[in-house]
Amino acid sequence: MSMVFAPCLTETAAPTTHAEPAWSPYDNNGGTCVAIAGEDYCVIAADTRMSTGFSILTRNYSKIHQITEKSVLASSGFQADIRALQKNLDARHQIYQHQHNKQMSCPAMAQLLSNTLYYKRFFPYYAFNVLGGLDNEGRGCVYSYDAVGSYERSGYSSQGTGMQLIMPVLDNQLKSASPLVLPLQKSTTPLSEFEAVDLVKDTFASAAERDIYTGDAVEIVIINREGVRRELMDLKRD
Amino acid sequence: MGSVVRCDRYPYVTGSSVLGIKYKDGILLASDTAGCYGSTVRYKSVERLKRIGDNTILGASGEISDFQAITNLLDELITEDWMWDDGNKLGPFEIHNYLNRVMYNRRNKFDPLWNSLVLGGIKKGKKYLGMVSMIGVHFQDNHVATGFGNHLARPIFRDEWKEDMTLEEGVKLLEKCLLVLFYRDRSAINKFQMANVTEGGITITEPFALKVNWELEAFRNPTKGAEGSW
């Protein structure tokens, strides 16, 4: 057995104590993500600012990644982990396509994402994800996650540094009946696509006022039966 | 007694900021040539800008020995690419992607390469400029900077950088930022290098100095507008 002495340990110290580490494997690069599910569309949006500490690294970094024809992943948190997670899911989706000769459905991707995150339960991906898309019936679906894979399907969600500013606004504008009340009500919003996009723009403009990590621009992706389209709206750059 | 896993490491000989900008014909990188051993400027002729293949340049701040390990890795990568002899060469985007994976995987093993890397190049007319940190955070932009450059140079870039600058304008902008860094970063010295990559090839300048003026009015009474500060 070999012995390696860490700088500040004495011979009699318990072997499990560590010296103060000089670096952290994690960083929070900030940003906010939102998704709203409609009858036959889904809106997924995220700001384009990437920060570290009190500095802005870049004003146009996309946090949105389209994994399949019908699912779009928006993630905020630690950018290196997010990029690795996106690549991981892309690779798994490629294998799925080879094996099944079709694309993964959004609910299937939702489960895969959860499993992928939990796989690293003891060294997590520091990624706060919102997955949006169309389910097998063509209805909008939104899944939101914590860093270790716990997830839930809902009608709308937000994650990231501006989450606490945006979620109450979405609750106020979009809240549907509780899923505990029977008969089960649809969780998708009755709003039109245009109204939902408008709401998303308003929420980001509000979040950018008070959250220092949210700003520069918001990238909005809309999936419906025609396909995928993108909009970009400028936000305050301070 | 069992073994203790090292999860902390410290850099020993470090380089300060690296700056990078896109301009009309390609990419410009700039850095000073200091290698500091803590608060001592131990080495004054450290080349922190390197050419990779013939369409990419790499600049590094942080631990110099880790940068040397990275250049070794890239030499192997470029050699293997050249040996394929298939009419295709790795471009700046591919090399940046490779470095991103290397840095991220080392971070995953809790044994990081203690560098912030700036990578720029041009392939088939398309310009590319990117950055990757020691934990794998990476992005591309029209202008990048590491370390103190993020705080001192980026704001100047945001104000004065514009699309399609000439080589003279680009050099002038970088020299302005290098001067600011020399004034304000204590680990910078007045000995710089610049690297330029265009479709025509790569040039790395011989070390040069900039004209310094310590008699600037703002240095004379620095707390004039803010009593109580220093």
Side-chain angles (χ1 to χ4, degrees):
Chain A
M1 271 190 266
S2 60
M3 286 210 283
V4 176
F5 289 98
C8 312
L9 283 187
T10 63
E11 293 217 355
T12 52
T16 48
T17 49
H18 282 279
E20 272 296 319
W23 67 288
S24 163
Y26 291 113
D27 188 15
N28 188 351
N29 301 118
T32 310
C33 309
V34 164
I36 300 179
E39 264 306 315
D40 59 353
Y41 67 87
C42 187
V43 177
I44 304 99
D47 71 321
T48 62
R49 173 177 287 179
M50 193 167 120
S51 331
T52 176
F54 285 116
S55 296
I56 297 176
L57 288 173
T58 183
R59 295 191 192 273
N60 60 331
Y61 183 82
S62 176
K63 296 184 185 65
I64 300 185
H65 183 75
Q66 180 165 18
I67 330 174
T68 79
E69 213 169 53
K70 298 213 170 75
S71 357
V72 168
L73 177 65
S75 325
S76 80
F78 174 43
Q79 186 263 349
D81 270 349
I82 290 169
R83 194 70 195 101
L85 177 65
Q86 290 169 352
K87 282 174 172 254
N88 194 331
L89 294 173
D90 280 344
R92 290 301 303 275
H93 186 230
Q94 271 195 29
I95 294 169
Y96 181 96
Q97 285 180 88
H98 284 133
Q99 290 174 344
H100 298 88
N101 199 24
K102 64 171 187 173
Q103 297 236 344
M104 273 175 92
S105 67
C106 193
M109 181 53 76
Q111 183 68 54
L112 177 63
L113 174 54
S114 170
N115 292 150
T116 307
L117 291 168
Y118 196 79
Y119 201 76
K120 273 174 57 77
R121 169 67 176 77
F122 300 110
F123 184 18
Y125 287 113
Y126 191 79
F128 298 100
N129 303 293
V130 178
L131 181 73
L134 299 176
D135 66 12
N136 291 315
E137 278 89 54
R139 225 170 272 134
C141 56
V142 166
Y143 298 88
S144 78
Y145 297 77
D146 72 358
V148 288
S150 157
Y151 79 112
E152 182 191 41
R153 180 173 176 175
S154 52
Y156 59 91
S157 184
S158 71
Q159 285 286 348
T161 50
M163 167 189 180
Q164 287 145 316
L165 297 167
I166 291 182
M167 205 59 175
V169 175
L170 295 181
D171 284 335
N172 177 264
Q173 296 291 306
L174 300 172
K175 191 146 195 131
S176 46
S178 163
L180 300 172
V181 168
L182 295 173
L184 184 62
Q185 304 270 31
K186 274 186 296 206
S187 56
T188 55
T189 174
L191 286 181
S192 75
E193 193 182 290
F194 177 79
E195 288 172 314
V197 171
D198 221 38
L199 174 61
V200 161
K201 289 177 178 173
D202 280 342
T203 51
F204 270 90
S206 308
E209 291 285 340
R210 291 288 179 175
D211 177 22
I212 61 173
Y213 296 108
T214 302
D216 295 329
V218 54
E219 186 186 0
I220 307 172
V221 171
I222 304 109
I223 309 188
N224 53 29
R225 77 173 76 85
E226 267 122 57
V228 178
R229 84 167 198 283
R230 269 182 161 72
E231 277 185 45
L232 194 71
M233 182 186 88
D234 283 337
L235 293 172
K236 283 176 74 171
R237 292 157 72 90
D238 68 354
Chain B
M1 281 252 220
S3 53
V4 173
V5 174
R6 272 195 184 281
C7 72
D8 52 323
R9 262 233 265 129
Y10 301 91
Y12 287 95
V13 179
T14 56
S16 190
S17 325
V18 177
L19 311 174
I21 53 172
K22 279 187 192 169
Y23 74 104
K24 184 154 160 285
D25 305 322
I27 313 289
L28 275 168
L29 254 52
S31 75
D32 70 9
T33 62
C36 295
Y37 187 66
S39 54
T40 312
V41 182
R42 175 71 183 82
Y43 303 101
K44 295 194 184 178
S45 301
V46 178
E47 284 220 8
R48 297 197 287 116
L49 305 173
K50 282 268 142 78
R51 71 182 67 218
I52 314 290
D54 30 48
N55 55 17
T56 312
I57 42 180
L58 173 70
S61 68
E63 173 62 55
I64 300 297
S65 62
D66 281 347
F67 177 50
Q68 291 169 346
I70 289 169
T71 41
N72 278 342
L73 273 179
L74 287 176
D75 281 340
E76 286 172 17
L77 186 76
I78 295 293
T79 304
E80 204 204 319
D81 181 44
W82 177 83
M83 289 202 290
W84 279 105
D85 197 21
D86 56 1
N88 193 29
K89 282 202 191 100
L90 290 175
F93 174 76
E94 290 84 46
I95 296 174
H96 191 215
N97 202 49
Y98 174 77
L99 285 177
N100 294 340
R101 292 301 110 217
V102 166
M103 301 303 274
Y104 183 68
N105 278 294
R106 288 291 296 259
R107 163 261 184 203
N108 284 347
K109 293 193 283 196
F110 279 89
D111 183 22
L113 288 162
W114 204 287
N115 294 112
S116 286
L117 304 168
V118 170
L119 190 113
I122 182 164
K123 186 177 170 190
K124 294 191 181 145
K126 206 153 164 273
K127 294 179 287 221
Y128 185 89
L129 178 63
M131 211 194 93
V132 55
S133 79
M134 69 184 252
I135 46 174
V137 172
H138 59 276
F139 62 96
Q140 37 156 323
D141 209 339
N142 293 320
H143 46 76
V144 297
T146 67
F148 259 97
N150 246 324
H151 295 103
L152 297 173
R154 275 323 266 298
I156 300 177
F157 289 153
R158 290 196 175 112
D159 214 15
E160 298 184 16
W161 183 91
K162 54 187 206 289
E163 199 77 52
D164 287 335
M165 288 190 299
T166 64
L167 178 62
E168 287 72 35
E169 289 173 320
V171 168
K172 199 152 161 265
L173 178 59
L174 282 180
E175 284 182 348
K176 178 175 184 173
C177 294
L178 288 174
L179 202 54
V180 170
L181 285 169
F182 174 65
Y183 283 136
R184 293 293 178 178
D185 179 5
R186 76 155 166 78
S187 46
I189 57 172
N190 191 6
K191 189 174 170 194
F192 309 101
Q193 273 187 304
M194 259 195 227
N196 179 16
V197 59
T198 61
E199 288 281 19
I202 297 173
T203 30
I204 301 183
T205 65
E206 283 299 299
F208 62 91
L210 292 172
K211 199 162 184 308
V212 174
N213 180 12
W214 291 113
E215 304 309 315
L216 287 174
E217 192 53 45
F219 292 143
R220 211 173 284 283
N221 191 6
T223 61
K224 190 155 159 218
E227 286 306 313
S229 64
W230 64 98

